[in-house]
Amino acid sequence: MSEDAPVLQGINLTRSFGDGDARHFALSDVTLDLFRGQLVLLMGPSGSGKSTLLAVLSGLLRSDSGRVVASPSGESVDIWQLNNSEREAFRLKHCGFIFQGYNLFPALSARQQLEIVLRWGEGVPSREARERADDMLGLLGLAKKSQLLPSSLSGGEKQRVAIGRALIKTPQFVFADEPTSALDWAHGEQVIELLRSAAHERGSTILVVSHDHRILPFVDAVFHLEDGRLDESDGVQGKAPATAHAED
Amino acid sequence: MSYTLATLWFDRQRYIPGVLAVAFSALLIALQCGLLLGLFSVTSIPIDRAKANIWVGPPKVLSVDVAQKMSEGKARSWLEGQPEVDIRSVEPYICKFANWTKPNGGVELCIIIGSRMNEDSLGTVPELTPELRMKLTEQDTIVVDESELERLDLKKVGDTAEILEHKVRLVGTVKGMKSIAGPYIFCSMPTARRVLRYSSDETIYVLARCHDAKDAIPVVHRLADEQRQKDEHLALSVFTKEEFSLRSRVHWLTKTKAGIALGYAALLGLMVGAVVTIQTLYGATMASMREYATLLALGIPRWRLGVTVVTQAFWIGVLGIILSWPVVFLLAEAAGLLGVKPQLPIWLLGGAAVVTLIMAIGAGSFALRAIKRIEPVNLLR
């Protein structure tokens, strides 16, 4: 499942917001390693910096200092040394995102939500995009709902479509922000199972930010973040070789 | 169905104001131009109602009523040298602005229309009945449209007035020959020449007809090529009936203030359309901000989302234009009932559609600033 070398490293990451007395550190010298095939949970109270860390690691928000080194295909790259279009291309090739809201286009069917990523992102021909979207919806148990609009889908089904949209490109990294927060546990469990199988079967590295303790039994590693610092006594579970430390 | 059309249909309530604004723009442009074209078609009435299919005039003719005199003999011999031209048909024709002095004083601008009065004359309008033509063969007699009597201060047949200080007498009236610039004064060629102090060889136009009407275009083109070899101040103007009619209308349309007024009205329509379309697209894009932000996070290039907005603008433009056409024709009919019949040729409707579509796409490009404001990191806050 996982390999020895980390595929994504956050090294001495610091990020603050505001100026002067109002300056607030969302991240303080955070270092962590993530490995291939891991489902990793990032926990912490509100305002602890979880979403900021996810944004920095995923190339959406630049840190004040520190580095984010990704090695999706062996070769390492500091994603914040890339220019904007190179970073956009990196995200296109290697990153999938699942957000708290489903953020599905209300006018498009489940299939079209997935197709659009392939067609607009990679220029995949329409027939191939359709086949790949149908395959993914089949894996997610939504084969019969491919033509339905979001308004005709349940919350759990919408989130599965959002997961499909994140996984359709077969990305190396998937970043999920509170993917189960809007769901009852029956649907939340389905979602986390899907993410776990994506990590274990596809070899993706999946970082989930969540408050939901019910997820804990399903993940390979857990990081706790509080006041912008990682807890050194991480509740690492199972055999995953996740490492983390805050260098104070 | 494309993603864009699916979105437009699903969210039609949101997009309707934009479609209506574009329809309003297209309607305003087409109808304004059509009304003006209809109005200025009056300026080419002498050409449109005449039977001639070849018009030869002095150098640099701009419009049928704006030309200097020339030698009839020169143009006549030139036309008679063309095998396709019916030699018997070649005849002089005068169309000239002049001052009309009313019987009780005061001056009005009028347009003298002088032509042969025989039955097969090429220049005479069909409204001049054989009886009127007979009367006009009498020296210094005229016929006017009955609606112009008051403007010319004439009360009845037999009244007299002066044109360029030359006395003329009214011998009859016609209907449907009202002009916008100055009343048409129909008379014979000899009368026209006497009033304008032209010699018997002087005219403004020489008209002709081909044995086969289809030959008019090649003959005119051949003659025009021949004239182009000459000094431009000496080269005679030569047109087909259709060319000269259009040239006269376009001249009045572009060289008068009415053309500028049309431009402003059309611009106003376009501005209203553009502002509403921009707001519609901006609002729609901002409403889908979270969905677009998700795609940006996934690495979809920002320009690709921009293409989507511009494509929406294109379809809003197309739908607005299609919606405007039946209304344009309906209002044109209504205007016709009020006595002003707009002309709506295909090229005018096509031109209005192209201008409106460019406006809609421009509005879409302006709405792209909404895309620029979207930052995917905001989804994580």
Side-chain angles (χ1 to χ4, degrees):
Chain A
M1 237 180 355
S2 57
E3 295 169 10
D4 294 332
V7 288
L8 187 64
Q9 294 175 283
I11 304 167
N12 305 123
L13 297 171
T14 297
R15 182 64 160 93
S16 63
F17 295 98
D19 289 314
D21 291 343
R23 193 172 188 193
H24 158 69
F25 281 87
L27 296 178
S28 296
D29 205 16
V30 172
T31 294
L32 80 169
D33 293 343
L34 302 179
F35 294 84
R36 189 179 299 279
Q38 270 193 329
L39 175 61
V40 181
L41 176 62
L42 179 60
M43 299 193 86
S46 291
S48 60
K50 304 186 298 295
S51 295
T52 303
L53 180 56
L54 186 140
V56 170
L57 288 172
S58 62
L60 294 180
L61 182 69
R62 186 182 288 277
S63 60
D64 298 336
S65 63
R67 296 189 299 141
V68 176
V69 178
S71 316
S73 46
E75 200 173 331
S76 297
V77 56
D78 182 343
I79 63 172
W80 287 107
Q81 292 296 313
L82 302 173
N83 64 34
N84 284 342
S85 56
E86 287 170 339
R87 198 161 41 253
E88 200 171 80
F90 178 87
R91 288 206 311 269
L92 179 62
K93 192 170 179 190
H94 300 297
C95 300
F97 287 85
I98 301 157
F99 296 102
Q100 201 165 348
Y102 316 116
N103 301 339
L104 301 175
F105 286 98
L108 304 187
S109 67
R111 176 194 288 143
Q112 288 173 321
Q113 309 278 352
L114 273 58
E115 278 178 4
I116 212 168
V117 175
L118 296 173
R119 295 194 62 193
W120 289 6
E122 301 170 10
V124 172
S126 59
R127 177 178 284 190
E128 185 189 333
R130 184 189 170 110
E131 286 170 2
R132 284 172 62 182
D134 283 343
D135 288 347
M136 176 57 70
L137 289 171
L139 284 174
L140 296 168
L142 293 170
K144 290 181 179 171
K145 310 228 169 177
S146 65
Q147 300 204 48
L148 296 184
L149 299 181
S151 56
S152 303
L153 298 172
S154 69
E157 288 167 340
K158 285 182 208 169
Q159 191 61 302
R160 275 190 275 164
V161 174
I163 290 170
R165 181 173 59 184
L167 298 180
I168 188 84
K169 300 183 297 176
T170 55
Q172 178 57 54
F173 308 113
V174 177
F175 302 93
D177 184 33
E178 304 281 4
T180 59
S181 66
L183 306 175
D184 58 42
W185 179 239
H187 286 113
E189 189 178 3
Q190 276 182 2
V191 164
I192 210 70
E193 281 283 12
L194 282 168
L195 292 177
R196 188 163 77 157
S197 63
H200 294 180
E201 290 164 22
R202 292 168 170 246
S204 298
T205 301
I206 300 181
L207 179 62
V208 176
V209 165
S210 181
H211 291 94
D212 194 344
H213 285 78
R214 291 173 299 187
I215 295 175
L216 280 168
F218 296 85
V219 301
D220 301 309
V222 181
F223 294 116
H224 291 278
L225 195 67
E226 194 152 342
D227 294 332
R229 294 170 189 277
L230 280 179
D231 184 351
E232 275 207 80
S233 58
D234 286 328
V236 178
Q237 300 202 354
K239 54 189 182 289
T243 63
H245 53 275
E247 296 174 359
D248 294 322
Chain B
M1 191 158 54
S2 79
Y3 306 131
T4 306
L5 286 177
T7 302
L8 287 179
W9 176 247
F10 181 85
D11 218 358
R12 51 194 177 277
Q13 296 289 347
R14 181 186 292 280
Y15 290 103
I16 278 174
V19 173
L20 291 179
V22 170
F24 173 70
S25 294
L27 172 79
L28 204 63
I29 295 171
L31 216 52
Q32 281 276 355
C33 293
L35 278 167
L36 242 92
L37 214 58
L39 195 61
F40 281 107
S41 68
V42 174
T43 62
S44 62
I45 278 182
I47 307 168
D48 300 331
R49 300 279 176 90
K51 298 185 197 109
N53 48 28
I54 297 177
W55 287 68
V56 175
K60 295 180 171 180
V61 169
L62 297 173
S63 167
V64 65
D65 43 15
V66 185
Q68 299 301 314
K69 63 186 176 183
M70 66 170 190
S71 161
E72 178 189 337
K74 194 172 147 194
R76 176 183 281 277
S77 60
W78 186 46
L79 278 170
E80 288 176 350
Q82 312 304 318
E84 299 93 336
V85 171
D86 179 358
I87 296 171
R88 290 166 303 168
S89 72
V90 179
E91 66 178 56
Y93 180 89
I94 282 173
C95 180
K96 184 80 176 170
F97 274 104
N99 281 339
W100 170 276
T101 307
K102 298 176 185 178
N104 62 353
V107 176
E108 182 74 43
L109 206 59
C110 68
I111 302 172
I112 297 172
I113 304 281
S115 60
R116 281 167 68 201
M117 286 299 139
N118 50 319
E119 197 180 338
D120 56 354
S121 165
L122 295 186
T124 305
V125 294
E127 284 75 5
L128 288 177
T129 59
E131 187 191 349
L132 285 174
R133 288 204 305 271
M134 176 65 77
K135 287 179 178 174
L136 285 173
T137 55
E138 190 184 340
Q139 199 166 282
D140 299 336
T141 55
I142 60 163
V143 164
V144 300
D145 188 278
E146 65 176 17
S147 66
E148 307 277 24
L149 287 174
E150 194 179 339
R151 190 172 168 187
L152 295 168
D153 200 18
L154 295 172
K155 290 181 178 58
K156 59 183 188 308
V157 170
D159 282 359
T160 59
E162 286 183 358
I163 304 174
L164 299 173
E165 298 174 349
H166 188 97
K167 194 173 178 183
V168 291
R169 182 166 55 89
L170 183 71
V171 292
T173 58
V174 289
K175 283 183 182 176
M177 294 301 293
K178 193 171 169 62
S179 160
I180 48 170
Y184 290 128
I185 309 294
F186 298 99
C187 62
S188 65
M189 267 307 287
T191 300
R193 279 177 170 146
R194 280 166 60 82
V195 168
L196 294 166
R197 279 80 168 171
Y198 283 8
S199 72
S200 60
D201 180 53
E202 287 176 327
T203 183
I204 292 183
Y205 298 101
V206 173
L207 314 185
R209 189 177 174 81
C210 288
H211 295 292
D212 184 343
K214 281 184 283 188
D215 289 333
I217 294 173
V219 169
V220 163
H221 288 175
R222 192 171 67 225
L223 294 175
D225 285 344
E226 213 175 283
Q227 290 299 308
R228 268 194 281 274
Q229 313 295 324
K230 299 182 180 175
D231 184 308
E232 62 175 13
H233 297 291
L234 300 174
L236 296 178
S237 304
V238 54
F239 308 104
T240 62
K241 176 179 184 168
E242 291 74 20
E243 284 171 353
F244 198 30
S245 174
L246 183 65
R247 187 184 183 89
S248 297
R249 274 179 275 167
V250 170
H251 169 76
W252 280 99
L253 202 62
T254 55
K255 301 292 178 189
T256 63
K257 295 248 164 64
I260 298 169
L262 159 79
Y264 272 110
L267 194 67
L268 191 69
L270 276 179
M271 281 170 64
V272 171
V275 168
V276 179
T277 308
I278 288 169
Q279 280 309 111
T280 303
L281 286 167
Y282 189 84
T285 306
M286 291 309 282
S288 297
M289 194 167 67
R290 294 184 67 83
E291 290 79 24
Y292 283 130
T294 304
L295 294 183
L296 285 175
L298 288 167
I300 307 294
R302 210 173 278 268
W303 66 261
R304 188 62 190 77
L305 304 186
V307 168
T308 308
V309 174
V310 173
T311 309
Q312 284 176 349
F314 170 80
W315 283 114
I316 286 175
V318 169
L319 293 172
I321 288 163
I322 292 171
L323 187 67
S324 74
W325 280 342
V327 186
V328 167
F329 284 111
L330 209 65
L331 288 178
E333 285 302 314
L337 294 176
L338 296 171
V340 191
K341 178 72 179 166
Q343 290 194 349
L344 298 167
I346 291 291
W347 62 264
L348 174 65
L349 291 173
V354 168
V355 170
T356 313
L357 200 55
I358 290 171
M359 176 279 289
I361 292 170
S365 308
F366 207 73
L368 288 180
R369 65 203 159 102
I371 294 284
K372 288 182 188 158
R373 288 182 57 183
I374 298 172
E375 284 302 331
V377 70
N378 291 336
L379 295 174
L380 294 169
R381 286 177 181 163

